[in-house]
Amino acid sequence: KAGVTQTPRYLIKTRGQQVTLSCSPISGHRSVSWYQQTPGQGLQFLFEYFSETQRNKGNFPGRFSGRQFSNSRSEMNVSTLELGDSALYLCASSLGPGKEAEAFFGQGTRLTVV
Amino acid sequence: AQSVTQLGSHVSVSEGALVLLRCNYSSSVPPYLFWYVQYPNQGLQLLLKYTTGATLVKGINGFEAEFKKSETSFHLTKPSAHMSDAAEYFCAVSGAGNQFYFGTGTSLTVIP
């Protein structure tokens, strides 16, 4: 069974540009969450989608957005990139909406903003 | 509101020694608790989880954790450290909408 797949693995962008990251969840998983990981702030929740609906959103500016498609694949977009957006972006998928469901993480996309 | 606190951002143990990584939680409802491990430039891998039932939870790679409600703790242990255990470890509690609240992480170093 394939795991969570994130593409691309590495990205280098310039300030002011926008970027789109992709996440394919484990087959059958309908919940996809996104996290930002930085050395200073640790793991911070961005948002969660279930059945194409955003159910939960973290405390990030509107430049960060996402969506989920009918096949559960998800994308997140960051517009007007800032240097502080440099981070490892992790996607996680879960079987369902329950709190007991463990999250399975992808390997992440390392975004560097220069 | 849910949160977890990991005591000790860095822990060093000798190979073969006991590993003890500390996690305390705060939750207004019965918590679901998790331990994840992260190797360099990788995502997070689930070690074990506590939802309900037995308070001693066994995970992969010889790790286990005990849920102690009276102490609001969920410490991770392994009887004998191996070089391959060197990694970053995260304790987490799950909240509404599949949101995980992670601790700040503990970096484990294993000394040969």
Side-chain angles (χ1 to χ4, degrees):
Chain A
K1 194 173 185 179
V4 178
T5 303
Q6 292 188 246
T7 56
R9 287 291 312 278
Y10 301 92
L11 267 177
I12 300 176
K13 290 287 188 177
T14 304
R15 271 183 302 175
Q17 288 186 311
Q18 75 165 19
V19 67
T20 299
L21 311 182
S22 179
C23 172
S24 293
I26 292 172
S27 177
H29 285 195
R30 294 168 62 192
S31 171
V32 174
S33 302
W34 289 88
Y35 291 83
Q36 181 196 65
Q37 185 178 25
T38 59
Q41 299 298 318
L43 283 150
Q44 292 187 289
F45 173 77
L46 281 157
F47 28 66
E48 188 255 355
Y49 288 87
F50 180 78
S51 294
E52 302 178 65
T53 300
Q54 186 183 89
R55 294 195 304 159
N56 201 3
K57 181 174 167 58
N59 188 25
F60 278 82
R63 300 186 297 107
F64 291 81
S65 63
R67 59 178 176 169
Q68 187 180 34
F69 302 95
S70 58
N71 62 357
S72 294
R73 190 177 70 85
S74 178
E75 291 181 344
M76 68 162 283
N77 184 78
V78 187
S79 62
T80 320
L81 284 166
E82 301 177 358
L83 294 179
D85 297 334
S86 295
L88 180 67
Y89 290 88
L90 293 166
C91 166
S93 77
S94 299
L95 188 59
K99 289 167 51 177
E100 73 281 4
E102 64 247 42
F104 294 84
F105 284 81
Q107 293 190 302
T109 295
R110 173 75 63 185
L111 172 64
T112 302
V113 182
V114 298
Chain B
Q2 288 97 348
S3 66
V4 293
T5 302
Q6 291 184 243
L7 300 174
S9 57
H10 294 89
V11 170
S12 294
V13 299
S14 298
E15 191 174 15
L18 171 72
V19 176
L20 171 61
L21 305 182
R22 300 178 187 273
C23 174
N24 288 90
Y25 69 89
S26 174
S27 178
S28 56
V29 297
Y32 295 116
L33 296 161
F34 303 78
W35 275 100
Y36 282 87
V37 61
Q38 185 178 35
Y39 298 98
N41 293 318
Q42 298 293 318
L44 278 68
Q45 180 184 9
L46 179 69
L47 282 174
L48 49 82
K49 69 175 183 178
Y50 169 79
T51 53
T52 58
T55 55
L56 182 62
V57 181
K58 294 187 184 299
I60 62 171
N61 301 338
F63 284 94
E64 61 183 37
E66 187 170 10
F67 171 70
K68 291 187 177 181
K69 185 177 179 181
S70 60
E71 299 177 7
T72 61
S73 68
F74 191 56
H75 301 331
L76 182 71
T77 61
K78 181 174 181 178
S80 177
H82 191 272
M83 295 298 294
S84 61
D85 295 327
E88 188 89 15
Y89 291 80
F90 293 92
C91 179
V93 61
S94 65
N98 273 12
Q99 178 175 351
F100 279 67
Y101 299 86
F102 287 92
T104 50
T106 297
S107 177
L108 176 66
T109 300
V110 182
I111 303 165

